[in-house]
Amino acid sequence: MAVLLRLRCCNRRTGCMMELPGFAVAVWMFGCLYASVVGYPNGKVREACSSMVPCHSGSPQLSPEHTITVNGTEFKPGDNIEVHLSGPDFEGFFIQARDAEHLDRPAVGSFVLADRRRSQLLTCGRTKNSAVSHTSKAKKKDIKVYWIAPEAAPKHIQFLATVVKKYRIFWVKIPGPVVSQPDVLSPTPPLHATSEAVSTSQPVSYISKPFSASGCGITKFCIRNPTNCDPGSASCFFLSFQQEGSSVFIEMSGPSEGYLAFALSQDQWMGGDDAYLCVNVDHHVHVSTAHLKERSHPLLDSENALEDVSWRLADGLLQCSFRRGIRLPAYKGRFNLDTSYYIFLADGEASEGGLIYKHRRQPLVTNGLCNVTGLPQDIGGSRAPRLIKAHGALMFVAWITTVSIGVIVARFFKPVWSHSFLFGKELWFQVHRMLMLTTVMLTSISFVLPFVYRGGWSQQAGFHPYLGCAVMALSIFQPLMAGFRPSRHAPRRQLFNWFHWSTGTTARILAVVTMFLGMDLPALDLPDPWDTYAMIGFVAWHVGTDVLLEIHSYCLVRKVEVIEDDRVQILQSLTSAEAEGRLFKQIVLTIYVCGNLVFLVAFLIAINQV
């Protein structure tokens, strides 16, 4: 499996040969292709968060042609303010709300979209969804969005907009209306939080502040992702159950623009589950129960068994809370809460009419059965099924450690270990064969696991499964071909060497590409962009080691060549050079193996945490 492209450089004395790593060339080509498609989509101008100045040449215009209007002059925490930007045709825009008394401070509050096709949400600073921009250069005359007042809002808020008519014609920080709080000391629930806004038969109240994790593991059963996160943060998914007599009070929150949902399941598969949904419909939250039938759209219940329903949309978080009885024999499909279940927690997008779409990433699933009315706990969960985690871990072990080390040994340690034997064979060959057979074994086991999990072929994994099948086929073909290896001096040995090299090279290149694609699939979804950078780092580490050893081998041969043409001197110099080369290669191999183990451990830790 030596991964090399050979370039011959002959001189008058010897037919010396310098080899250039083919894997490096292939990885360089893949990196160029990868880099060419990575970039910010139109309108994601986070660089302009502070100044609101587009990165265009030229100076901003002085007299604005566009105006900002709102549907009110007062607000309370949690209120929705309709913001309307209109004027002559324009291509781009950027809208924020800021403290009217300190316009140089960061954006305040969060936005909700009215038209996802023409506008998108951006995160400026620490506040999620605190700005709105365009999605394309298509001309538009008006844009409507909704601003949600945060809990700790300033007394006065002013809306600002940057508008781009053409590339060189734009206006910066067009001033909009100022809205103010009538009573900042005693905020009251907004008028729109009424029972008509939610599909439940019970009155609805307004949640005045983020949920608290105090009491988790003491008086209430909590699920948090990431583990031990603060429910008030813009990246925390939170679900809690607190028993109060014959009922359970439930709180759910997370960074979602569309919906949050949790389900009680008797296994770790979707289907036949008791589900609860909080859906953002026209900037009001509808809380309802549903039944999940296999992997299909949830079937909403006509009757709602929930009481004390409350909700809140603020600071990029969707929050809802409600109460239900521990046992509900009158409601078909509602599970008893005094039994143990797996708990699913999912989020996704919803249309303006309240239709929910399939979650883009794997739901959070508890690692074991949980009884929410039993002993209070504070636990996390995993978004990656155990079989998929095992699949990723085994592939990383095979293609980051065993195969890479095996290739280095076969390529550079033949002369170093040619006089050492293990079980009657040269040491380098036995090590190489053992590592490659281990790679085949690990790849074969890992290959089966996704099919066991999915119960068949996955139609939603893109090119990853196709490339994985190609890698598996090449991995099996390689040792079978090696079993028919001709003797060292046989006429067909050179042809075998070429096929052996090309098959191994192709398998490794495809394996790297497959791992790049697999790391971001919903079933595993390692942290972005860390996973990409780490994989690029590993490839650079391997290629760098390969190039270093190649240069060292070339320099070693050149060092011997410059000696005067005396057989004794040459033999003495060659012996000295071999000793020097052996020590250098062993040091490099030791460092290389340690580096590979560092990359492997990092990936395994990341897999364990998802």
Side-chain angles (χ1 to χ4, degrees):
M1 283 191 180
V3 186
L4 301 161
L5 290 176
R6 304 196 169 189
L7 298 177
R8 294 187 177 271
C9 301
C10 300
N11 58 30
R12 61 182 177 88
R13 241 178 225 181
T14 65
C16 65
M17 180 172 61
M18 178 180 180
E19 300 182 351
L20 187 65
F23 188 60
V25 176
V27 169
W28 173 79
M29 293 175 62
F30 173 75
C32 292
L33 292 173
Y34 184 82
S36 66
V37 299
V38 175
Y40 289 107
N42 286 340
K44 292 198 172 182
V45 288
R46 292 188 178 90
E47 295 84 357
C49 279
S50 178
S51 66
M52 297 188 70
V53 178
C55 298
H56 298 181
S57 58
S59 302
Q61 306 298 306
L62 298 179
S63 302
E65 300 177 352
H66 305 80
T67 58
I68 306 173
T69 58
V70 296
N71 65 342
T73 59
E74 295 183 350
F75 71 94
K76 305 180 185 70
D79 271 355
N80 295 329
I81 301 293
E82 181 179 308
V83 182
H84 192 249
L85 173 65
S86 60
D89 286 350
F90 56 97
E91 294 179 352
F93 65 92
F94 191 54
I95 302 174
Q96 287 185 355
R98 296 192 178 186
D99 186 344
E101 298 177 342
H102 304 279
L103 291 177
D104 57 336
R105 290 184 179 178
V108 176
S110 57
F111 287 89
V112 175
L113 302 179
D115 187 350
R116 296 179 185 272
R117 295 173 300 175
R118 300 194 302 163
S119 57
Q120 62 183 328
L121 298 171
L122 299 179
T123 296
C124 287
R126 298 182 179 180
T127 305
K128 187 176 181 181
N129 305 334
S130 55
V132 185
S133 74
H134 54 282
T135 57
S136 71
K137 294 175 61 177
K139 293 187 181 298
K140 48 193 79 72
K141 290 183 179 294
D142 64 283
I143 287 293
K144 181 173 70 173
V145 295
Y146 295 91
W147 179 75
I148 302 173
E151 179 65 23
K155 296 180 180 180
H156 308 285
I157 293 293
Q158 184 171 21
F159 295 96
L160 304 175
T162 290
V163 177
V164 177
K165 186 176 183 179
K166 294 182 180 179
Y167 185 81
R168 295 179 182 273
I169 303 177
F170 56 90
W171 294 264
V172 175
K173 291 185 178 179
I174 299 174
V178 175
V179 294
S180 306
Q181 294 194 55
D183 185 358
V184 297
L185 297 177
S186 303
T188 57
L191 297 176
H192 62 254
T194 61
S195 59
E196 290 77 15
V198 184
S199 59
T200 175
S201 58
Q202 300 296 329
V204 176
S205 61
Y206 174 74
I207 300 172
S208 60
K209 59 182 180 180
F211 296 136
S212 172
S214 61
C216 287
I218 302 174
T219 60
K220 56 185 180 182
F221 188 103
C222 298
I223 300 172
R224 292 192 273 176
N225 179 251
T227 305
N228 298 324
C229 63
D230 179 7
S233 71
S235 61
C236 182
F237 289 90
F238 177 76
L239 178 64
S240 72
F241 302 84
Q242 185 168 9
Q243 183 176 356
E244 299 175 352
S246 60
S247 66
V248 174
F249 185 69
I250 301 170
E251 297 174 325
M252 179 166 55
S253 69
S256 177
E257 303 167 16
Y259 71 90
L260 290 174
F262 79 89
L264 306 175
S265 178
Q266 295 174 341
D267 53 37
Q268 291 183 301
W269 300 85
M270 291 183 62
D273 305 329
D274 181 12
Y276 301 80
L277 296 86
C278 297
V279 185
N280 181 0
V281 182
D282 297 329
H283 323 300
H284 298 72
V285 177
H286 288 205
V287 183
S288 60
T289 57
H291 182 72
L292 299 181
K293 186 178 180 180
E294 297 180 351
R295 295 184 178 182
S296 59
H297 198 275
L299 303 175
L300 299 180
D301 297 325
S302 56
E303 294 183 298
N304 206 328
L306 308 181
E307 302 174 345
D308 298 341
V309 175
S310 300
W311 62 269
R312 179 176 183 258
L313 285 170
D315 302 326
L317 291 175
L318 189 157
Q319 296 174 248
C320 63
S321 63
F322 51 88
R323 183 187 309 277
R324 62 146 284 184
I326 295 178
R327 291 177 174 267
L328 297 171
Y331 294 90
K332 184 179 179 181
R334 301 281 72 78
F335 291 0
N336 294 332
L337 296 185
D338 53 1
T339 306
S340 296
Y341 305 100
Y342 289 98
I343 301 177
F344 290 67
L345 179 58
D347 66 290
E349 295 184 352
S351 68
E352 294 180 18
L355 176 65
I356 68 172
Y357 300 109
K358 181 181 178 180
H359 42 80
R360 292 185 177 180
R361 58 176 175 173
Q362 199 79 3
L364 184 75
V365 184
T366 56
N367 295 321
L369 294 168
C370 302
N371 186 343
V372 298
T373 59
L375 184 67
Q377 298 183 53
D378 187 6
I379 63 174
S382 174
R383 293 190 181 275
R386 291 180 179 177
L387 288 177
I388 300 300
K389 284 186 173 183
H391 166 75
L394 291 175
M395 285 298 187
F396 280 127
V397 172
W399 295 95
I400 285 184
T401 54
T402 57
V403 76
S404 300
I405 297 172
V407 167
I408 292 290
V409 168
R411 170 66 191 92
F412 297 104
F413 283 79
K414 287 181 183 179
V416 176
W417 293 343
S418 59
H419 302 297
S420 301
F421 294 87
L422 181 66
F423 301 118
K425 296 284 185 179
E426 293 175 331
L427 178 60
W428 75 265
F429 177 77
Q430 293 288 48
V431 172
H432 172 74
R433 182 166 61 178
M434 177 190 68
L435 290 173
M436 293 308 175
L437 290 177
T438 302
T439 299
V440 174
M441 180 187 67
L442 293 175
T443 303
S444 301
I445 296 173
S446 177
F447 179 79
V448 175
L449 298 181
F451 291 98
V452 174
Y453 170 72
R454 292 290 183 184
W457 185 266
S458 174
Q459 301 293 338
Q460 301 174 345
F463 289 105
H464 179 78
Y466 297 98
L467 293 176
C469 289
V471 171
M472 184 71 256
L474 292 173
S475 300
I476 295 295
F477 179 69
Q478 185 77 332
L480 291 178
M481 180 172 56
F484 295 94
R485 179 177 60 255
S487 62
R488 181 170 299 178
H489 302 292
R492 291 179 296 174
R493 181 58 181 258
Q494 186 174 1
L495 182 63
F496 165 82
N497 289 342
W498 189 90
F499 273 108
H500 189 61
W501 169 83
S502 61
T503 303
T505 300
T506 304
R508 294 177 63 216
I509 293 173
L510 289 180
V512 169
V513 175
T514 306
M515 287 190 290
F516 264 109
L517 296 176
M519 292 186 299
D520 290 326
L521 288 177
L524 189 60
D525 196 17
L526 297 183
D528 257 339
W530 174 90
D531 55 350
T532 301
Y533 294 150
M535 182 57 69
I536 292 175
F538 160 70
V539 173
W541 171 254
H542 175 78
V543 172
T545 303
D546 204 327
V547 171
L548 177 64
L549 290 173
E550 193 65 60
I551 293 174
H552 173 262
S553 297
Y554 175 75
C555 292
L556 205 58
V557 173
R558 295 292 298 172
K559 182 177 181 180
V560 174
E561 288 179 354
V562 298
I563 305 293
E564 292 182 0
D565 193 7
D566 185 298
R567 169 171 287 185
V568 175
Q569 287 183 340
I570 291 177
L571 290 175
Q572 291 175 347
S573 301
L574 187 59
T575 302
S576 175
E578 285 181 349
E580 178 185 340
R582 184 181 298 110
L583 178 61
F584 179 82
K585 289 181 179 179
Q586 289 176 345
I587 292 174
V588 171
L589 179 63
T590 302
I591 297 174
Y592 176 73
V593 171
C594 292
N596 280 27
L597 292 177
V598 170
F599 280 106
L600 176 63
V601 170
F603 278 114
L604 294 181
I605 291 175
I607 290 175
N608 183 61
Q609 291 178 344
V610 295

